[in-house]
Amino acid sequence: QSVLTQPPSVSAAPGQKVTITCSGGSSNIGNNHVAWYQQLPGTAPRLLIYDTKERLSGVPDRFSGSKSGTSATLAITGLQIGDEADYYCGTWDTRLSEVMFGGGTRLTVL
Amino acid sequence: QVQLQESGPGLVKPSDTLSLTCTVSGASVSSGDFYWSWIRQAPGKGLEWIGNVYYRGTTIYNASLKSRLNILIDTSKNQFFLRLNSVTAADTAVYFCAREIESGALAFNLWGRGAPVTVSS
């Protein structure tokens, strides 16, 4: 069971907005930057967001990251079929001295 | 263009040692102050960080694997290595090597394609 908690699944219609939350604690999200990854089936994860809200070059501005307290959020606007994937949050845990990942959230674009 | 490529046996027997190599091209493992990581994903499961190595050889390990784990680096060959001993079926996974986007960020923008490893007799 992961230290970082994500909803197992979210869904929305094309063109809509969806948010994926990642809940942690003071030793991880509360005091460290958060990254977000997109993983399509059978492929390696792709970094979308780092340093909590910085978009990697080439990532559409439909993707955005934010944080409040010990929770982080990935927002995706203008949903496209191609956004269907698994999404993971990740951060450093200062108490455990380890990189932690959330359990992952499967996004379905209806 | 920096690329990472995992290599190693796809089948390992229970209680044996899992050994993988990550070959880096397009950049030197000893430049840029980066940490080089191993991450795995069991079938149908999420990502699990295994540990990382700095070019000077210092390492940080996942506590749950630490007693069985060794991560090494060879700057002359531009490679780093994963050694996980006493494996069980629970170690069956796709193993990725990865590099962080900037020194100390521990957000991984460079990944290998992944090496599937099955632990079975």
Side-chain angles (χ1 to χ4, degrees), chain A residues 35 37 39 43-45 47 50-51 56 88 92 97-99 101 103, chain B residues 41 45-47 49 60 62-63 96 101-102 106-109 111-112:
Chain A
Y37 302 86
Q39 187 178 31
T43 69
L47 180 64
Y50 67 102
D51 284 356
L56 197 66
Y88 294 91
W92 177 253
S97 293
E98 295 178 10
V99 173
F101 291 105
Chain B
Q41 187 170 34
K45 302 295 185 183
L47 302 171
W49 181 76
I60 307 174
N62 182 319
F96 298 98
I101 185 170
E102 55 191 22
L106 293 172
F108 308 101
N109 70 315
W111 296 71

Side-chain angles (χ1 to χ4, degrees), chain B residues 12-18 84-89 119:
Chain B
V12 181
K13 289 183 168 53
S15 79
D16 280 358
T17 297
L18 183 162
L84 184 66
N85 58 38
S86 304
V87 296
T88 70
V119 178

Side-chain angles (χ1 to χ4, degrees), chain B residues 19-42:
Chain B
S19 297
L20 293 174
T21 299
C22 183
T23 300
V24 180
S25 58
S28 168
V29 297
S30 54
S31 68
D33 253 11
F34 294 105
Y35 283 90
W36 302 87
S37 284
W38 287 99
I39 295 161
R40 70 180 181 179
Q41 187 170 34

Side-chain angles (χ1 to χ4, degrees), chain A residues 9-20 75-85 87 105-110:
Chain A
S9 63
V10 295
S11 61
Q16 296 297 302
K17 174 183 177 179
V18 71
T19 59
I20 299 173
I76 311 172
T77 59
L79 274 174
Q80 301 176 1
I81 297 294
D83 296 333
E84 281 204 341
Y87 291 83
T105 299
R106 177 150 297 178
L107 168 62
T108 302
V109 182
L110 302 168

Side-chain angles (χ1 to χ4, degrees), chain B residues 58-78:
Chain B
T58 54
T59 54
I60 307 174
Y61 294 158
N62 182 319
S64 69
L65 299 170
K66 187 173 184 177
S67 63
R68 302 190 289 130
L69 183 61
N70 206 8
I71 299 178
L72 306 165
I73 194 164
D74 187 332
T75 56
S76 68
K77 294 183 178 179
N78 224 35

